[in-house]
Amino acid sequence: MGWRWPSKIGLIFSRGCVPLFFYCADVPILCLHCARFLWYNSATAEREPRLTHQYIIIDKKKYAVGLFWQPVAVDAAARNYARELASAVDKKLNLFTEYRAMIALGSKRSGHRSGMPSAAAEVMEAFAEFSSFLAAFVTDDGSYYIVAVRNGIILEDKIFRREDQARAHYAELAAIPDWGAFFAPESWAMPRAVQRRLDEIVTGRARAVLHYIGRVRTNLLSLAIFTVFALGLLYFFRGPITQMLTPRPQVSTINPELAAEYKRRIEEKNRELDAAYEIEKTPPPQPLQMPYDNLPDPIARAQLCYQAIGFLMQPVPGWVQKSAECGETHASADLQRTFGTIGGFYEYGDTVMPGALVQEKSESEISVRAKLPPLPPVASIDERDGDTIMRDVMTAFQGIDTPVDIELVVDTITNGIETANLPVVEVAASSKLVPMQFMQIFEPFGGVYMTRCAWNAATKTWNYEVIIYAK
């Protein structure tokens, strides 16, 4: 026989028994058994010693038991309904909790406290697969705790000090038909009953905790917390507040000439003290200079290198060009003697390469070096991360079928105090493209700087080294 909500509802209260909703015309057997265990409660109430507290301890945490459970309508406000129910049943019931479609009432005189979780809700959460069950547990202090649930409604939430009373009460409830599951101590030898321990099933997931029914206590607690917080702020900021309230001298009453003279004398005195004690003031460190804040335009840099190499690679009778290179500050070229002379090179070189520095590596090899003029700096950085830049650079070079070496390194910048680590993508490639054409490959990127380009006269090939500052 399954439980169903009847069209008419009756409510029975008795000492030590939670309310049961039923309609006797629809469920006569349930009414009979309900009457039997209500009579049992009345008969044993005088014999059972009154418990000084209605809670159990599981894993050093207190859980409320012996609560007065009552189903509540879906659209009803739980606190208002709990207040009305407490006024009708017992005005000393000043705590409540809401769980699923029920509320439960408790009281401080029974040992209940605000914030204390409900043991019955925890048990019901552990046996969620059963809509109806009867369970008895042995607590750590030797008491016996009984929970009865019918069709999702908590009917029994009671603790007993004596085993015989708990066992007899469990047997009375077990006589009611249609229980989905039974749980009881193994020593009771109850038919179909399985033993479970409270510390094994209680997890704290039910979140059904007691709250005060009235708002006065809550408001007073909030006011007390706010007062303590405000006093704490006043104490913490007492210095600035005192300074604000202290009258300050009016600037207009101070003679500017006297103030300047006073300042000058203080500075002179400080210099004298520094000289007397040989105090050397350490200058503050310069702020970190990020290299990507002072980069030349990539195309302008490529054109400058191309022009510098062309300047140093002009034909000189009796000498052939081997290679040329453009670095960050200078460009240089190496020439090999065929039939010319050193003196003839100086004489002719001053005409075609004025201002170039000549270095004699050997009697048959000469290096010519020229300084590069500065280019206007601009700030530029690529907003992509290093891995993304590496992938996009590889894609660009694969598009023109040119091999390329790519590596991600970390460049450390410091001023002695602060340190910054910059991710840098290094690119190296050989190409037949002149510098201006080669650097057009990097137009989609920011933070680009060509650190070096070199011309190999034997292979007619350009070698390039480019870095990209990543975000």
Side-chain angles (χ1 to χ4, degrees), residues 392-410:
D392 294 344
V393 170
M394 179 62 71
T395 301
F397 275 85
Q398 288 176 345
I400 60 175
D401 197 22
T402 301
V404 63
D405 293 328
I406 308 173
E407 185 179 2
L408 179 62
V409 299
V410 176

mmCIF file of all heavy atoms in Angstrom, residues 392-410:
data_model
loop_
_atom_site.group_PDB
_atom_site.id
_atom_site.type_symbol
_atom_site.label_atom_id
_atom_site.label_comp_id
_atom_site.label_asym_id
_atom_site.label_seq_id
_atom_site.Cartn_x
_atom_site.Cartn_y
_atom_site.Cartn_z
ATOM 1 N N ASP A 392 53.450 31.397 -36.459
ATOM 2 C CA ASP A 392 53.105 32.305 -37.562
ATOM 3 C C ASP A 392 54.321 32.623 -38.435
ATOM 4 O O ASP A 392 54.194 32.768 -39.661
ATOM 5 C CB ASP A 392 52.498 33.599 -36.989
ATOM 6 C CG ASP A 392 51.157 33.356 -36.311
ATOM 7 O OD1 ASP A 392 50.568 32.279 -36.550
ATOM 8 O OD2 ASP A 392 50.710 34.220 -35.554
ATOM 9 N N VAL A 393 55.510 32.742 -37.823
ATOM 10 C CA VAL A 393 56.722 32.981 -38.616
ATOM 11 C C VAL A 393 57.020 31.773 -39.498
ATOM 12 O O VAL A 393 57.360 31.905 -40.684
ATOM 13 C CB VAL A 393 57.910 33.295 -37.690
ATOM 14 C CG1 VAL A 393 59.218 33.291 -38.469
ATOM 15 C CG2 VAL A 393 57.716 34.648 -37.022
ATOM 16 N N MET A 394 56.897 30.571 -38.908
ATOM 17 C CA MET A 394 57.124 29.366 -39.708
ATOM 18 C C MET A 394 56.150 29.288 -40.879
ATOM 19 O O MET A 394 56.525 28.928 -42.004
ATOM 20 C CB MET A 394 56.980 28.137 -38.811
ATOM 21 C CG MET A 394 57.176 26.812 -39.536
ATOM 22 S SD MET A 394 58.838 26.628 -40.239
ATOM 23 C CE MET A 394 59.787 26.407 -38.724
ATOM 24 N N THR A 395 54.902 29.654 -40.634
ATOM 25 C CA THR A 395 53.906 29.653 -41.708
ATOM 26 C C THR A 395 54.289 30.627 -42.819
ATOM 27 O O THR A 395 54.160 30.335 -44.018
ATOM 28 C CB THR A 395 52.527 30.008 -41.136
ATOM 29 O OG1 THR A 395 52.170 29.048 -40.134
ATOM 30 C CG2 THR A 395 51.470 30.003 -42.227
ATOM 31 N N ALA A 396 54.783 31.823 -42.445
ATOM 32 C CA ALA A 396 55.154 32.830 -43.440
ATOM 33 C C ALA A 396 56.310 32.348 -44.305
ATOM 34 O O ALA A 396 56.316 32.530 -45.535
ATOM 35 C CB ALA A 396 55.512 34.137 -42.743
ATOM 36 N N PHE A 397 57.328 31.704 -43.719
ATOM 37 C CA PHE A 397 58.471 31.249 -44.495
ATOM 38 C C PHE A 397 58.129 30.015 -45.330
ATOM 39 O O PHE A 397 58.675 29.818 -46.409
ATOM 40 C CB PHE A 397 59.653 30.968 -43.568
ATOM 41 C CG PHE A 397 60.459 32.188 -43.247
ATOM 42 C CD1 PHE A 397 60.086 33.042 -42.215
ATOM 43 C CD2 PHE A 397 61.589 32.517 -43.978
ATOM 44 C CE1 PHE A 397 60.805 34.175 -41.908
ATOM 45 C CE2 PHE A 397 62.327 33.641 -43.685
ATOM 46 C CZ PHE A 397 61.936 34.489 -42.659
ATOM 47 N N GLN A 398 57.244 29.174 -44.814
ATOM 48 C CA GLN A 398 56.799 28.045 -45.628
ATOM 49 C C GLN A 398 56.027 28.529 -46.851
ATOM 50 O O GLN A 398 56.046 27.893 -47.901
ATOM 51 C CB GLN A 398 55.934 27.106 -44.788
ATOM 52 C CG GLN A 398 56.720 26.309 -43.758
ATOM 53 C CD GLN A 398 55.837 25.460 -42.880
ATOM 54 O OE1 GLN A 398 54.625 25.653 -42.830
ATOM 55 N NE2 GLN A 398 56.446 24.508 -42.182
ATOM 56 N N GLY A 399 55.354 29.681 -46.708
ATOM 57 C CA GLY A 399 54.604 30.231 -47.835
ATOM 58 C C GLY A 399 55.495 30.668 -48.976
ATOM 59 O O GLY A 399 55.056 30.691 -50.134
ATOM 60 N N ILE A 400 56.765 31.036 -48.685
ATOM 61 C CA ILE A 400 57.708 31.419 -49.757
ATOM 62 C C ILE A 400 58.762 30.345 -49.979
ATOM 63 O O ILE A 400 59.764 30.586 -50.645
ATOM 64 C CB ILE A 400 58.377 32.765 -49.425
ATOM 65 C CG1 ILE A 400 59.162 32.676 -48.113
ATOM 66 C CG2 ILE A 400 57.341 33.884 -49.358
ATOM 67 C CD1 ILE A 400 59.955 33.930 -47.780
ATOM 68 N N ASP A 401 58.539 29.154 -49.363
ATOM 69 C CA ASP A 401 59.407 27.990 -49.568
ATOM 70 C C ASP A 401 60.857 28.317 -49.218
ATOM 71 O O ASP A 401 61.787 28.063 -49.998
ATOM 72 C CB ASP A 401 59.292 27.491 -51.009
ATOM 73 C CG ASP A 401 59.843 26.070 -51.163
ATOM 74 O OD1 ASP A 401 59.905 25.367 -50.130
ATOM 75 O OD2 ASP A 401 60.206 25.694 -52.282
ATOM 76 N N THR A 402 61.063 28.896 -48.025
ATOM 77 C CA THR A 402 62.401 29.279 -47.568
ATOM 78 C C THR A 402 62.666 28.637 -46.215
ATOM 79 O O THR A 402 61.867 28.815 -45.276
ATOM 80 C CB THR A 402 62.517 30.808 -47.442
ATOM 81 O OG1 THR A 402 62.259 31.404 -48.721
ATOM 82 C CG2 THR A 402 63.901 31.212 -46.951
ATOM 83 N N PRO A 403 63.775 27.900 -46.062
ATOM 84 C CA PRO A 403 64.101 27.317 -44.751
ATOM 85 C C PRO A 403 64.374 28.417 -43.717
ATOM 86 O O PRO A 403 64.895 29.490 -44.056
ATOM 87 C CB PRO A 403 65.358 26.479 -45.023
ATOM 88 C CG PRO A 403 65.380 26.292 -46.509
ATOM 89 C CD PRO A 403 64.741 27.508 -47.102
ATOM 90 N N VAL A 404 64.054 28.142 -42.459
ATOM 91 C CA VAL A 404 64.234 29.129 -41.400
ATOM 92 C C VAL A 404 64.481 28.399 -40.086
ATOM 93 O O VAL A 404 63.961 27.301 -39.847
ATOM 94 C CB VAL A 404 62.987 30.039 -41.290
ATOM 95 C CG1 VAL A 404 61.762 29.246 -40.902
ATOM 96 C CG2 VAL A 404 63.230 31.186 -40.313
ATOM 97 N N ASP A 405 65.334 28.989 -39.247
ATOM 98 C CA ASP A 405 65.585 28.493 -37.891
ATOM 99 C C ASP A 405 64.909 29.452 -36.912
ATOM 100 O O ASP A 405 65.168 30.669 -36.941
ATOM 101 C CB ASP A 405 67.081 28.420 -37.598
ATOM 102 C CG ASP A 405 67.771 27.360 -38.457
ATOM 103 O OD1 ASP A 405 67.117 26.343 -38.768
ATOM 104 O OD2 ASP A 405 68.945 27.565 -38.815
ATOM 105 N N ILE A 406 64.074 28.902 -36.024
ATOM 106 C CA ILE A 406 63.321 29.724 -35.068
ATOM 107 C C ILE A 406 63.561 29.172 -33.665
ATOM 108 O O ILE A 406 63.516 27.954 -33.447
ATOM 109 C CB ILE A 406 61.809 29.719 -35.381
ATOM 110 C CG1 ILE A 406 61.564 30.076 -36.852
ATOM 111 C CG2 ILE A 406 61.063 30.685 -34.479
ATOM 112 C CD1 ILE A 406 60.119 29.934 -37.269
ATOM 113 N N GLU A 407 63.762 30.067 -32.713
ATOM 114 C CA GLU A 407 63.998 29.653 -31.329
ATOM 115 C C GLU A 407 63.395 30.695 -30.384
ATOM 116 O O GLU A 407 63.470 31.897 -30.660
ATOM 117 C CB GLU A 407 65.498 29.501 -31.061
ATOM 118 C CG GLU A 407 65.804 28.961 -29.672
ATOM 119 C CD GLU A 407 67.301 28.792 -29.443
ATOM 120 O OE1 GLU A 407 68.088 29.134 -30.366
ATOM 121 O OE2 GLU A 407 67.692 28.335 -28.355
ATOM 122 N N LEU A 408 62.802 30.212 -29.285
ATOM 123 C CA LEU A 408 62.240 31.101 -28.258
ATOM 124 C C LEU A 408 63.207 31.151 -27.086
ATOM 125 O O LEU A 408 63.533 30.131 -26.485
ATOM 126 C CB LEU A 408 60.874 30.582 -27.799
ATOM 127 C CG LEU A 408 60.169 31.407 -26.703
ATOM 128 C CD1 LEU A 408 59.875 32.816 -27.192
ATOM 129 C CD2 LEU A 408 58.880 30.720 -26.256
ATOM 130 N N VAL A 409 63.695 32.362 -26.754
ATOM 131 C CA VAL A 409 64.638 32.548 -25.652
ATOM 132 C C VAL A 409 64.060 33.588 -24.694
ATOM 133 O O VAL A 409 63.055 34.243 -24.980
ATOM 134 C CB VAL A 409 66.019 32.996 -26.168
ATOM 135 C CG1 VAL A 409 66.612 31.942 -27.078
ATOM 136 C CG2 VAL A 409 65.930 34.343 -26.876
ATOM 137 N N VAL A 410 64.713 33.743 -23.552
ATOM 138 C CA VAL A 410 64.302 34.723 -22.542
ATOM 139 C C VAL A 410 65.439 35.706 -22.345
ATOM 140 O O VAL A 410 66.573 35.313 -22.026
ATOM 141 C CB VAL A 410 63.938 34.039 -21.206
ATOM 142 C CG1 VAL A 410 63.607 35.094 -20.149
ATOM 143 C CG2 VAL A 410 62.763 33.089 -21.393
#
